[in-house]
Amino acid sequence: MSAENYVQEIHQGTADNMDDLKKSQESMGAAAAGVKRQISETAADAKEKLTEIGGNAADQLSEVAQSATDKAKAAADYLRQTEVSDMAEDLKDIVKALPGLVNSSRCGCGICGRSFA
């Protein structure tokens, strides 16, 4: 083999290796782009789910707050509009309708009262 042929073979081998390297780089670039796309899609899905969960939690909290506000307003209206004697009558009606609740309350107050005595 002549020196010229040997140089041509080396040159051709180097060119082939460069082509293979370029194809490998392109392949790795495509794979990296695919991984990047998957990560972006997963992150977008996670963000969407978290937004949905946060929105649901915020809606539920808003409903609870609104319910508490409505009940506080109703209690305030009752106190403003009702005479003390009428409140006593209302309390008697509750005691008659729910005696078990009253007895449980007495028991609880008795236990708490003893622990502070």
Side-chain angles (χ1 to χ4, degrees), residues 56-78:
N56 290 341
D59 290 344
Q60 290 174 351
L61 183 59
S62 176
E63 289 174 19
V64 168
Q66 185 61 48
S67 176
T69 300
D70 292 344
K71 289 178 183 179
K73 284 181 182 178
D77 289 343
Y78 174 79

Side-chain angles (χ1 to χ4, degrees), residues 4-18:
E4 190 174 307
N5 287 341
Y6 183 71
V7 170
Q8 283 180 340
E9 280 184 35
I10 291 175
H11 185 268
Q12 184 60 42
T14 302
D16 290 343
N17 287 340
M18 292 300 287

Side-chain angles (χ1 to χ4, degrees), residues 1-4 11 24 42 44 52 58 61 74 78 84 90-92 108:
M1 176 181 281
S2 72
E4 190 174 307
H11 185 268
S24 294
T42 302
E52 182 180 315
L61 183 59
Y78 174 79
V84 174
D90 290 343
L91 183 58
K92 286 180 187 175

Side-chain angles (χ1 to χ4, degrees), residues 23-49:
K23 287 177 186 176
S24 294
Q25 286 175 335
E26 289 171 356
S27 177
M28 286 191 302
V35 169
K36 181 180 177 183
R37 185 180 66 252
Q38 287 178 329
I39 290 171
S40 295
E41 289 172 1
T42 302
D45 290 344
K47 180 180 177 183
E48 182 178 325
K49 291 289 183 190

